[in-house]
Amino acid sequence: MNVVTRKSEVKEYLRSCISAYQENGVSACVLTLSNQILNRKVKFPLLEFCAHELSQTIKESEQILLCDKIEALKTEGGNVILGIMLQNRLENHFQESIDKATEYTSKATIWYVCDIIGERLYGYAMLHYPTKTIPEIQKLSTHPKRWVVRSLGAGVHYAVRKGLDRQNVSSLFMILMSKANSKDKEIRQGIGWAAKTTARYHPDIIEQFDEEIRNQEKVANWFRRKIAIGLERNEYDKRN
């Protein structure tokens, strides 16, 4: 399968989707989107471009319907579009965007759904709306679906890597530690990823919580290993 790497090419496909929407509505748009874009291998930045364009074109009142129909297609690239379209709605529809991301990730059957949506929605929200988002992350950390919890790890990774301030990173790290004894493979991968990134960019936070991290009853060895890898990466970054 050829990989679509040029914006000029994806613009042509997207133009067909927008025309279908303008002529026949959301369902026609999604059908064309599926045929022209989501059934091709398209680079993620180009899919993000498509999502931003669709956010500007599709009526606000019809955007969630569009997202629901895209989610139902179960395509990898569709998750990129979902994440960005919900991200664009955060300012005016914050809670709905969080809830929809949770709905979509809870339906996941494979890891990349969580990571793609988690970074683009939860991660972006943590970075830009931390006061509102961190309490939501706290609540979602006990969600019964492991895929939702994994997606939070992807979100924390994104927010920390993009420069979230230390105070808010510290709050998020306490949430990560509440899952540090999990035996679930998916949760361990998501939370471990976030812990490693926290250690890489904020070794002082690791030092702050050193006693808690060493508590073998509450913190499993896999969590400590991820932190050790992050600290090693921090040292490597300083040398280079």
Side-chain angles (χ1 to χ4, degrees):
M1 184 185 294
N2 292 332
V3 180
V4 178
T5 60
R6 291 178 297 141
K7 185 179 283 190
S8 58
E9 184 178 359
V10 85
K11 276 184 174 180
E12 286 299 316
Y13 301 144
L14 185 60
R15 192 171 292 117
S16 299
C17 301
I18 291 172
S19 294
Y21 169 71
Q22 292 170 337
E23 293 172 11
N24 295 300
V26 169
S27 294
C29 176
V30 173
L31 178 61
T32 308
L33 186 69
S34 176
N35 293 334
Q36 296 286 351
I37 295 176
L38 296 180
N39 284 330
R40 303 178 192 268
K41 193 169 181 61
V42 182
K43 292 287 189 180
F44 279 14
L46 294 179
L47 290 171
E48 292 182 341
F49 164 76
C50 291
H52 287 303
E53 292 295 307
L54 288 169
S55 293
Q56 294 178 13
T57 302
I58 306 299
K59 292 178 183 177
E60 190 170 318
S61 60
E62 295 181 320
Q63 288 178 3
I64 292 299
L65 175 61
L66 180 85
C67 288
D68 287 345
K69 289 181 177 294
I70 291 172
E71 189 279 330
L73 296 173
K74 305 296 184 185
T75 62
E76 182 176 1
N79 296 296
V80 178
I81 293 177
L82 294 176
I84 295 298
M85 290 200 70
L86 292 177
Q87 179 188 115
N88 289 337
R89 291 174 61 85
L90 277 167
E91 184 174 357
N92 296 322
H93 305 279
F94 177 84
Q95 192 60 53
E96 181 186 51
S97 296
I98 295 289
D99 292 345
K100 271 294 170 181
T102 304
E103 176 188 333
Y104 296 152
T105 54
S106 71
K107 294 178 179 178
T109 56
I110 193 167
W111 62 270
Y112 60 68
V113 177
C114 314
D115 294 3
I116 291 171
I117 295 177
E119 285 196 46
R120 288 164 181 79
L121 192 281
Y122 296 128
Y124 184 93
M126 291 178 213
L127 189 62
H128 294 275
Y129 307 95
T131 303
K132 289 198 291 185
T133 304
I134 291 176
E136 295 295 324
I137 302 304
Q138 177 70 65
K139 287 188 289 186
L140 290 173
S141 69
T142 60
H143 196 280
K145 291 287 188 177
R146 62 181 183 167
W147 300 108
V148 173
V149 181
R150 173 174 176 139
S151 70
L152 302 180
V156 173
H157 159 78
Y158 174 93
V160 174
R161 184 169 57 86
K162 292 292 185 178
L164 182 64
D165 66 277
R166 186 194 183 284
Q167 182 177 345
N168 285 311
V169 175
S170 181
S171 297
L172 289 169
F173 188 71
M174 287 190 284
I175 298 173
L176 296 179
M177 284 201 300
S178 74
K179 313 305 294 182
N181 216 13
S182 176
K183 293 178 172 57
D184 186 284
K185 171 179 170 288
E186 302 301 335
I187 293 175
R188 286 168 57 173
Q189 288 188 346
I191 297 300
W193 188 20
K196 180 173 66 176
T197 303
T198 302
R200 177 181 178 182
Y201 291 99
H202 292 277
D204 56 317
I205 290 177
I206 305 305
E207 184 177 352
Q208 175 188 344
F209 290 99
D210 180 69
E211 184 176 345
E212 292 90 337
I213 293 168
R214 291 178 183 273
N215 186 330
Q216 296 190 12
E217 292 184 5
K218 295 183 178 180
V219 176
N221 284 331
W222 63 262
F223 191 85
R224 279 186 287 272
R225 283 196 299 269
K226 291 295 184 180
I227 287 174
I229 294 169
L231 293 175
E232 288 171 7
R233 189 56 199 252
N234 175 265
E235 289 298 320
Y236 178 83
D237 292 341
K238 287 192 291 189
R239 292 195 302 269
N240 292 276

